[in-house]
Amino acid sequence: MDQSELQALADKLDRLVEHCRKLEQDNATMRQLQDDWNRERAQLIQKNDLAKNKIEAMIGRLRALEQH
């Protein structure tokens, strides 16, 4: 292998390493977003359950009023 071929190979390797770093960074960003969305989803599920329980309690009170 002559010097120009070695340099071309080194350049390709540098680009590959840089591409891998970029992918790792993107992956970390996406994992953080996924964690954020999972936390938000859990909060929304909790709020939904709370609202459901309040509505069920109101329905129960309305039924109790109907029977009196």
Side-chain angles (χ1 to χ4, degrees):
M1 237 186 231
D2 67 5
Q3 188 64 27
S4 64
E5 289 175 324
L6 286 175
Q7 186 59 47
L9 186 57
D11 291 344
K12 285 182 182 181
L13 186 57
D14 288 343
R15 286 194 304 271
L16 181 59
V17 168
E18 186 58 36
H19 187 65
C20 287
R21 286 185 186 138
K22 175 80 168 86
L23 289 174
E24 287 173 346
Q25 184 180 25
D26 290 349
N27 192 13
T29 300
M30 284 189 232
R31 286 182 191 270
Q32 182 62 50
L33 285 172
Q34 183 179 18
D35 290 345
D36 293 346
W37 290 336
N38 284 337
R39 273 191 294 281
E40 182 180 359
R41 181 179 182 270
Q43 289 173 346
L44 291 172
I45 288 171
Q46 187 177 24
K47 286 181 181 181
N48 189 39
D49 287 343
L50 181 62
K52 177 182 170 187
N53 291 337
K54 286 182 178 181
I55 291 170
E56 287 174 349
M58 283 189 272
I59 290 171
R61 288 193 298 272
L62 288 172
R63 286 187 179 149
L65 287 173
E66 284 178 346
Q67 294 175 355
H68 287 105

Coordinates of all heavy atoms in Angstrom, one line a residue:
M1 N 0.8 -1.2 0.0 CA 0.0 0.0 0.0 C 0.9 1.2 0.0 O 1.8 1.3 0.8 CB -0.9 0.0 1.3 CG -2.3 0.1 1.0 SD -3.3 0.3 2.5 CE -4.4 -1.1 2.2
D2 N 0.6 2.1 -0.9 CA 1.4 3.4 -0.9 C 0.8 4.4 0.1 O -0.3 4.2 0.7 CB 1.5 3.9 -2.3 CG 0.2 4.4 -2.9 OD1 -0.8 4.4 -2.2 OD2 0.2 4.8 -4.1
Q3 N 1.5 5.5 0.2 CA 1.1 6.5 1.2 C -0.3 7.1 0.9 O -1.0 7.4 1.9 CB 2.2 7.7 1.2 CG 2.0 8.7 2.2 CD 2.2 8.1 3.6 OE1 2.9 7.1 3.8 NE2 1.5 8.7 4.6
S4 N -0.6 7.3 -0.3 CA -2.0 7.9 -0.7 C -3.1 7.0 -0.3 O -4.1 7.4 0.2 CB -2.0 8.3 -2.1 OG -1.9 7.2 -3.0
E5 N -2.9 5.7 -0.5 CA -3.9 4.7 -0.1 C -4.0 4.6 1.4 O -5.2 4.5 1.9 CB -3.5 3.3 -0.6 CG -3.7 3.2 -2.2 CD -3.2 1.8 -2.7 OE1 -2.2 1.3 -2.1 OE2 -3.8 1.3 -3.6
L6 N -2.9 4.7 2.1 CA -3.0 4.7 3.6 C -3.7 6.0 4.1 O -4.5 5.9 5.0 CB -1.6 4.6 4.2 CG -0.9 3.3 4.1 CD1 0.5 3.4 4.6 CD2 -1.7 2.2 4.9
Q7 N -3.4 7.1 3.5 CA -4.1 8.3 3.9 C -5.6 8.3 3.6 O -6.4 8.7 4.4 CB -3.4 9.5 3.1 CG -4.0 10.9 3.6 CD -3.7 11.1 5.1 OE1 -2.7 10.8 5.6 NE2 -4.8 11.5 5.8
A8 N -5.9 7.7 2.4 CA -7.4 7.6 2.1 C -8.1 6.7 3.1 O -9.2 6.9 3.6 CB -7.5 7.0 0.7
L9 N -7.4 5.6 3.5 CA -8.0 4.7 4.5 C -8.1 5.3 5.8 O -9.1 5.2 6.5 CB -7.1 3.4 4.6 CG -7.6 2.3 5.5 CD1 -8.9 1.8 5.0 CD2 -6.6 1.1 5.4
A10 N -7.1 6.1 6.2 CA -7.1 6.8 7.5 C -8.2 7.9 7.5 O -9.0 8.0 8.5 CB -5.8 7.5 7.7
D11 N -8.4 8.5 6.4 CA -9.5 9.5 6.2 C -10.9 8.8 6.4 O -11.8 9.3 7.1 CB -9.5 10.2 4.9 CG -8.3 11.2 4.8 OD1 -7.7 11.5 5.9 OD2 -7.9 11.6 3.7
K12 N -11.0 7.7 5.7 CA -12.3 6.9 5.8 C -12.5 6.5 7.3 O -13.7 6.5 7.8 CB -12.3 5.7 4.9 CG -12.4 6.0 3.5 CD -12.5 4.8 2.6 CE -12.6 5.1 1.1 NZ -12.6 3.9 0.3
L13 N -11.5 6.0 7.9 CA -11.6 5.6 9.3 C -12.0 6.8 10.2 O -12.8 6.6 11.1 CB -10.3 5.0 9.8 CG -10.3 4.3 11.1 CD1 -11.3 3.3 11.2 CD2 -8.9 3.8 11.5
D14 N -11.4 7.9 10.0 CA -11.8 9.1 10.7 C -13.2 9.5 10.6 O -13.9 9.8 11.5 CB -10.9 10.3 10.3 CG -9.4 10.2 10.8 OD1 -9.2 9.4 11.8 OD2 -8.6 10.9 10.3
R15 N -13.7 9.4 9.3 CA -15.1 9.7 9.1 C -16.0 8.7 9.7 O -17.1 9.0 10.3 CB -15.4 9.7 7.5 CG -14.8 11.0 6.9 CD -15.4 11.2 5.5 NE -15.1 10.1 4.6 CZ -14.1 9.9 3.8 NH1 -13.1 10.8 3.8 NH2 -13.9 8.9 3.0
L16 N -15.6 7.4 9.7 CA -16.4 6.4 10.4 C -16.4 6.6 11.9 O -17.5 6.5 12.5 CB -15.8 5.0 10.0 CG -16.5 3.8 10.6 CD1 -17.9 3.7 10.1 CD2 -15.7 2.5 10.3
V17 N -15.3 6.9 12.5 CA -15.3 7.2 13.9 C -16.2 8.4 14.2 O -17.0 8.4 15.2 CB -13.8 7.4 14.4 CG1 -13.8 8.0 15.8 CG2 -13.0 6.1 14.3
E18 N -16.1 9.4 13.4 CA -17.0 10.6 13.7 C -18.4 10.3 13.5 O -19.3 10.7 14.3 CB -16.6 11.7 12.7 CG -17.3 13.0 13.0 CD -17.1 13.6 14.4 OE1 -16.0 13.4 14.9 OE2 -18.1 14.2 14.9
H19 N -18.7 9.4 12.5 CA -20.1 9.0 12.3 C -20.6 8.2 13.5 O -21.8 8.4 14.0 CB -20.2 8.2 11.0 CG -21.6 7.8 10.6 ND1 -22.5 8.8 10.3 CD2 -22.2 6.7 10.5 CE1 -23.7 8.2 10.0 NE2 -23.5 6.9 10.1
C20 N -19.8 7.3 14.0 CA -20.1 6.6 15.2 C -20.4 7.5 16.4 O -21.4 7.3 17.2 CB -19.1 5.5 15.6 SG -19.0 4.1 14.4
R21 N -19.6 8.5 16.6 CA -19.8 9.4 17.7 C -21.1 10.2 17.6 O -21.8 10.4 18.5 CB -18.6 10.4 17.8 CG -17.3 9.9 18.3 CD -16.3 10.9 18.5 NE -15.0 10.3 18.9 CZ -13.9 10.6 18.4 NH1 -13.7 11.6 17.5 NH2 -12.8 10.0 18.8
K22 N -21.4 10.6 16.3 CA -22.7 11.3 16.1 C -23.8 10.3 16.4 O -24.8 10.8 17.0 CB -22.7 11.7 14.6 CG -24.0 12.3 14.1 CD -24.1 13.8 14.6 CE -25.3 14.5 13.9 NZ -26.5 14.3 14.6
L23 N -23.7 9.1 16.0 CA -24.8 8.1 16.2 C -25.0 7.9 17.7 O -26.1 7.8 18.2 CB -24.6 6.8 15.5 CG -24.7 6.8 14.0 CD1 -24.3 5.5 13.4 CD2 -26.1 7.2 13.6
E24 N -23.9 7.8 18.4 CA -24.0 7.6 19.9 C -24.6 8.9 20.6 O -25.5 8.7 21.5 CB -22.6 7.4 20.5 CG -22.0 6.1 20.2 CD -20.6 5.9 20.6 OE1 -19.9 6.9 20.9 OE2 -20.1 4.7 20.6
Q25 N -24.3 10.0 20.1 CA -24.9 11.3 20.6 C -26.4 11.3 20.3 O -27.2 11.6 21.2 CB -24.2 12.5 20.0 CG -24.7 13.8 20.6 CD -23.9 15.0 20.0 OE1 -23.4 14.9 18.9 NE2 -23.9 16.1 20.7
D26 N -26.7 11.0 19.1 CA -28.2 10.9 18.7 C -28.9 9.9 19.5 O -30.1 10.2 20.0 CB -28.3 10.6 17.2 CG -27.9 11.7 16.3 OD1 -27.6 12.8 16.8 OD2 -27.7 11.5 15.1
N27 N -28.3 8.8 19.7 CA -28.9 7.7 20.5 C -29.2 8.2 21.9 O -30.2 7.9 22.5 CB -28.0 6.5 20.5 CG -28.7 5.2 21.0 OD1 -29.9 5.2 21.2 ND2 -28.0 4.2 21.3
A28 N -28.2 8.8 22.5 CA -28.3 9.3 23.9 C -29.5 10.4 24.0 O -30.3 10.4 24.9 CB -27.0 9.9 24.4
T29 N -29.5 11.2 23.0 CA -30.6 12.2 22.9 C -32.0 11.6 22.8 O -32.9 11.9 23.5 CB -30.4 13.2 21.7 OG1 -29.2 13.8 21.9 CG2 -31.5 14.2 21.6
M30 N -32.1 10.6 22.0 CA -33.4 9.8 21.8 C -33.7 9.1 23.0 O -34.9 9.1 23.4 CB -33.3 8.9 20.6 CG -33.3 9.6 19.3 SD -33.5 8.4 17.9 CE -32.2 8.9 16.9
R31 N -32.8 8.5 23.7 CA -33.1 7.8 25.0 C -33.6 8.8 26.0 O -34.5 8.5 26.8 CB -31.8 7.1 25.5 CG -31.5 5.8 24.7 CD -30.3 5.1 25.3 NE -29.8 4.1 24.5 CZ -30.3 2.8 24.5 NH1 -31.2 2.5 25.4 NH2 -29.8 1.9 23.7
Q32 N -33.0 10.0 26.1 CA -33.5 11.0 27.0 C -34.9 11.4 26.7 O -35.7 11.6 27.6 CB -32.5 12.2 27.0 CG -32.9 13.3 28.0 CD -32.9 12.8 29.4 OE1 -31.9 12.3 29.8 NE2 -34.0 13.0 30.1
L33 N -35.2 11.6 25.4 CA -36.5 12.0 25.0 C -37.5 10.9 25.3 O -38.6 11.2 25.8 CB -36.6 12.2 23.5 CG -36.0 13.6 23.0 CD1 -35.9 13.6 21.5 CD2 -36.8 14.7 23.5
Q34 N -37.1 9.6 25.1 CA -38.0 8.5 25.5 C -38.2 8.5 27.0 O -39.4 8.3 27.4 CB -37.3 7.2 25.0 CG -38.2 6.0 25.3 CD -37.6 4.7 24.8 OE1 -36.4 4.6 24.6 NE2 -38.4 3.7 24.7
D35 N -37.2 8.7 27.8 CA -37.4 8.8 29.2 C -38.4 9.9 29.6 O -39.3 9.7 30.4 CB -36.1 9.0 29.9 CG -35.2 7.8 29.9 OD1 -35.7 6.7 29.5 OD2 -34.0 7.9 30.2
D36 N -38.2 11.1 29.0 CA -39.1 12.2 29.2 C -40.5 11.9 28.9 O -41.5 12.1 29.6 CB -38.7 13.4 28.5 CG -37.3 14.0 28.9 OD1 -36.9 13.6 30.0 OD2 -36.7 14.8 28.2
W37 N -40.7 11.2 27.7 CA -42.1 10.9 27.3 C -42.7 9.8 28.2 O -43.9 9.8 28.5 CB -42.1 10.4 25.8 CG -41.8 11.5 24.8 CD1 -42.0 12.8 25.0 CD2 -41.3 11.4 23.5 NE1 -41.6 13.5 23.9 CE2 -41.2 12.7 23.0 CE3 -40.8 10.3 22.8 CZ2 -40.7 12.9 21.7 CZ3 -40.3 10.5 21.5 CH2 -40.3 11.8 21.0
N38 N -41.9 8.9 28.6 CA -42.4 7.8 29.6 C -42.8 8.5 30.9 O -43.8 8.1 31.4 CB -41.3 6.8 29.8 CG -41.2 5.8 28.6 OD1 -42.1 5.7 27.8 ND2 -40.0 5.2 28.5
R39 N -42.0 9.4 31.4 CA -42.5 10.1 32.6 C -43.7 10.9 32.4 O -44.7 10.9 33.2 CB -41.3 11.1 33.1 CG -40.3 10.4 34.0 CD -39.4 11.5 34.6 NE -38.6 12.2 33.7 CZ -37.4 11.7 33.1 NH1 -37.1 10.4 33.4 NH2 -36.7 12.3 32.2
E40 N -43.8 11.6 31.3 CA -45.0 12.4 30.9 C -46.2 11.4 30.8 O -47.3 11.7 31.3 CB -44.9 13.2 29.7 CG -46.1 14.0 29.3 CD -45.9 14.8 28.0 OE1 -44.8 14.7 27.4 OE2 -46.8 15.5 27.6
R41 N -46.0 10.3 30.2 CA -47.1 9.3 30.0 C -47.6 8.8 31.4 O -48.8 8.7 31.6 CB -46.6 8.1 29.1 CG -47.7 7.1 28.9 CD -47.1 5.9 28.0 NE -48.1 5.0 27.7 CZ -48.3 3.9 28.5 NH1 -47.6 3.7 29.6 NH2 -49.3 3.0 28.2
A42 N -46.7 8.5 32.2 CA -47.0 8.0 33.6 C -47.8 9.1 34.3 O -48.8 8.8 35.0 CB -45.8 7.7 34.4
Q43 N -47.4 10.4 34.2 CA -48.2 11.5 34.8 C -49.6 11.6 34.2 O -50.6 11.8 35.0 CB -47.4 12.8 34.7 CG -46.2 12.9 35.5 CD -45.4 14.1 35.2 OE1 -45.6 14.8 34.2 NE2 -44.4 14.4 36.0
L44 N -49.7 11.4 32.9 CA -51.0 11.5 32.3 C -51.9 10.4 32.7 O -53.1 10.5 32.9 CB -50.9 11.6 30.8 CG -50.3 12.9 30.2 CD1 -50.0 12.7 28.7 CD2 -51.2 14.1 30.5
I45 N -51.3 9.2 32.8 CA -52.1 8.0 33.3 C -52.6 8.2 34.7 O -53.7 8.0 35.0 CB -51.3 6.7 33.2 CG1 -51.1 6.3 31.7 CG2 -51.9 5.6 34.0 CD1 -50.1 5.2 31.4
Q46 N -51.7 8.8 35.5 CA -52.1 9.1 36.9 C -53.2 10.1 37.0 O -54.2 9.9 37.7 CB -50.9 9.6 37.7 CG -51.1 9.7 39.2 CD -49.8 10.2 39.9 OE1 -48.9 10.8 39.3 NE2 -49.8 9.9 41.2
K47 N -53.1 11.2 36.2 CA -54.2 12.2 36.1 C -55.5 11.6 35.6 O -56.6 11.9 36.1 CB -53.7 13.4 35.3 CG -52.7 14.2 35.9 CD -52.4 15.4 35.0 CE -51.3 16.3 35.6 NZ -51.0 17.4 34.7
N48 N -55.4 10.7 34.6 CA -56.6 10.1 34.1 C -57.2 9.2 35.1 O -58.5 9.2 35.2 CB -56.2 9.3 32.8 CG -57.3 8.8 32.1 OD1 -58.3 9.4 31.9 ND2 -57.2 7.5 31.6
D49 N -56.4 8.4 35.8 CA -57.0 7.6 36.9 C -57.7 8.4 38.0 O -58.8 8.1 38.5 CB -55.9 6.7 37.5 CG -55.5 5.6 36.6 OD1 -56.2 5.3 35.6 OD2 -54.4 5.0 36.9
L50 N -57.1 9.5 38.3 CA -57.7 10.4 39.3 C -59.0 11.0 38.8 O -60.0 11.0 39.6 CB -56.7 11.6 39.7 CG -57.1 12.6 40.7 CD1 -57.4 11.9 42.1 CD2 -56.1 13.7 40.8
A51 N -59.0 11.4 37.6 CA -60.3 12.0 37.0 C -61.3 10.9 37.0 O -62.5 11.1 37.3 CB -60.0 12.5 35.6
K52 N -60.9 9.7 36.6 CA -61.9 8.5 36.5 C -62.5 8.2 37.9 O -63.7 8.0 38.0 CB -61.1 7.3 36.0 CG -61.9 6.1 35.9 CD -61.1 4.9 35.4 CE -61.8 3.6 35.6 NZ -61.0 2.4 35.3
N53 N -61.6 8.2 38.9 CA -62.1 8.0 40.2 C -63.1 9.1 40.7 O -64.1 8.8 41.4 CB -60.9 7.8 41.2 CG -60.1 6.6 41.0 OD1 -60.6 5.6 40.4 ND2 -58.8 6.6 41.4
K54 N -62.8 10.3 40.4 CA -63.7 11.4 40.8 C -65.0 11.3 40.1 O -66.1 11.5 40.7 CB -63.0 12.8 40.5 CG -61.9 13.2 41.4 CD -61.3 14.5 41.0 CE -60.3 14.9 42.0 NZ -59.7 16.3 41.7
I55 N -65.0 10.9 38.8 CA -66.2 10.8 38.0 C -67.0 9.6 38.6 O -68.3 9.7 38.8 CB -65.9 10.6 36.5 CG1 -65.4 11.9 36.0 CG2 -67.2 10.1 35.8 CD1 -64.9 11.8 34.6
E56 N -66.3 8.5 38.9 CA -67.1 7.4 39.4 C -67.7 7.7 40.8 O -68.8 7.3 41.1 CB -66.1 6.2 39.6 CG -65.8 5.5 38.2 CD -64.7 4.4 38.3 OE1 -64.1 4.3 39.4 OE2 -64.5 3.7 37.3
A57 N -67.0 8.5 41.6 CA -67.5 8.9 42.9 C -68.7 9.8 42.7 O -69.7 9.7 43.4 CB -66.4 9.6 43.7
M58 N -68.7 10.7 41.7 CA -69.8 11.6 41.4 C -71.0 10.8 41.0 O -72.1 11.0 41.4 CB -69.5 12.6 40.4 CG -68.6 13.8 40.9 SD -68.5 15.1 39.7 CE -67.0 14.6 38.8
I59 N -70.8 9.8 40.1 CA -71.9 9.0 39.6 C -72.5 8.2 40.8 O -73.7 8.1 40.9 CB -71.4 8.0 38.5 CG1 -71.0 8.8 37.3 CG2 -72.4 6.9 38.3 CD1 -70.3 8.0 36.2
G60 N -71.6 7.7 41.7 CA -72.1 7.0 42.9 C -73.0 7.9 43.7 O -74.1 7.5 44.2
R61 N -72.6 9.2 43.9 CA -73.4 10.1 44.7 C -74.7 10.4 44.0 O -75.7 10.5 44.7 CB -72.6 11.4 45.0 CG -71.4 11.2 46.0 CD -70.9 12.5 46.5 NE -70.2 13.3 45.5 CZ -69.0 13.2 45.1 NH1 -68.2 12.2 45.6 NH2 -68.5 14.0 44.2
L62 N -74.7 10.6 42.7 CA -75.9 10.9 42.0 C -76.9 9.7 42.1 O -78.1 9.9 42.3 CB -75.6 11.2 40.5 CG -74.9 12.5 40.2 CD1 -74.5 12.6 38.8 CD2 -75.9 13.6 40.6
R63 N -76.4 8.5 42.0 CA -77.2 7.3 42.1 C -77.8 7.2 43.5 O -79.0 6.9 43.7 CB -76.5 6.1 41.8 CG -76.2 5.9 40.3 CD -75.6 4.6 40.0 NE -75.4 4.4 38.5 CZ -74.4 3.8 38.0 NH1 -73.5 3.1 38.7 NH2 -74.3 3.7 36.7
A64 N -77.0 7.6 44.5 CA -77.5 7.6 45.9 C -78.6 8.6 46.1 O -79.6 8.4 46.8 CB -76.4 7.8 46.9
L65 N -78.4 9.8 45.4 CA -79.5 10.8 45.5 C -80.8 10.4 44.8 O -81.9 10.7 45.3 CB -79.0 12.1 44.9 CG -77.9 12.9 45.7 CD1 -77.4 14.1 44.8 CD2 -78.5 13.4 47.0
E66 N -80.6 9.7 43.7 CA -81.8 9.2 43.0 C -82.6 8.2 43.8 O -83.9 8.2 43.7 CB -81.4 8.5 41.7 CG -81.0 9.3 40.6 CD -80.5 8.6 39.3 OE1 -80.3 7.3 39.4 OE2 -80.4 9.2 38.3
Q67 N -82.0 7.5 44.7 CA -82.7 6.5 45.5 C -83.4 7.1 46.7 O -84.2 6.4 47.3 CB -81.7 5.4 45.9 CG -81.2 4.6 44.8 CD -80.1 3.6 45.2 OE1 -79.7 3.5 46.3 NE2 -79.6 2.8 44.2
H68 N -83.1 8.3 47.0 CA -83.7 8.9 48.2 C -84.9 9.7 47.8 O -85.4 10.2 47.1 CB -82.8 9.8 48.9 CG -81.7 9.0 49.7 ND1 -80.4 8.9 49.3 CD2 -81.8 8.3 50.8 CE1 -79.7 8.2 50.1 NE2 -80.6 7.8 51.1

